[in-house]
């Protein structure tokens, strides 16, 4: 934290820029009411009607950044955290907020137990080759 000539502190670091604690972006929340645990590889897609998200004054700049990044290209939770340079926990809460407002849709990965067995896939490939 630096100060001006009168000794008034500023919430900025000359080298790092403005300093905002991650929990301030989520108003101290670590999860949202309807949020299920979002995997790092869960894919976030902006809803078509989210194009007017900028008009919603209840959304923070970080919310708008997430909608903007996911508008053209679906992105994983991990990608969003990296691109926004925010902790994954913060990004999960922000995505949960957007999902509750129906601004984004989250596609969760298929659990490994629901994936087909590799031997079944090999049998199908062998059967197709035999045709």
């Amino acid at each position: 934290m630096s100060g001006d000539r009168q000794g008034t502190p500023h919430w900025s670091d000359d080298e790092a820029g403005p300093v905002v604690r991650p929990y301030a972006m989520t108003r101290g929340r670590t999860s949202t009411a309807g949020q299920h645990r979002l995997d790092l590889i869960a894919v976030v897609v902006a809803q078509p009607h989210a194009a007017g998200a900028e008009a919603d004054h209840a959304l923070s700049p970080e919310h708008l950044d997430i909608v903007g990044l996911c508008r053209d290209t679906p992105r994983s939770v991990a990608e969003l955290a990296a691109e926004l340079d925010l902790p994954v926990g913060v990004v999960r809460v922000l995505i949960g907020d957007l999902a509750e407002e129906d601004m984004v849709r989250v596609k969760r990965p298929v659990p490994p137990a629901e994936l087909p067995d590799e031997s079944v896939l090999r049998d199908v490939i062998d059967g197709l080759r035999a045709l």
Side-chain angles (χ1 to χ4, degrees):
M1 188 162 65
S2 65
D4 63 13
R5 287 182 223 159
Q6 290 84 25
T8 306
H10 291 285
W11 289 102
S12 66
D13 180 328
D14 294 334
E15 294 177 16
V19 177
V20 177
R21 300 283 183 212
Y23 62 84
M25 291 178 209
T26 63
R27 292 168 282 186
R29 296 172 300 138
T30 58
S31 64
T32 56
Q35 178 183 6
H36 302 286
R37 181 157 162 67
L38 294 173
D39 292 323
L40 290 175
I41 58 173
V43 176
V44 181
V45 181
Q47 297 283 42
H49 61 271
E54 292 80 17
D56 188 345
H57 298 293
L59 296 177
S60 70
E62 292 79 18
H63 285 113
L64 297 175
D65 289 343
I66 291 171
V67 171
L69 287 169
C70 298
R71 186 170 288 136
D72 297 324
T73 307
R75 308 212 187 230
S76 70
V77 173
E79 287 176 307
L80 289 168
E83 289 184 40
L84 296 171
D85 195 26
L86 292 173
V88 172
V90 170
V91 172
R92 284 179 172 150
V93 172
L94 296 173
I95 292 169
D97 293 345
L98 291 168
E100 284 180 16
E101 295 296 320
D102 198 34
M103 299 293 255
V104 298
R105 186 177 73 245
V106 178
K107 296 180 180 179
R108 289 178 176 79
V110 177
E114 293 180 18
L115 292 173
D117 185 24
E118 184 180 338
S119 64
V120 172
L121 294 175
R122 289 192 187 281
D123 290 343
V124 169
I125 291 171
D126 291 342
L128 290 171
R129 285 187 182 145
L131 291 175

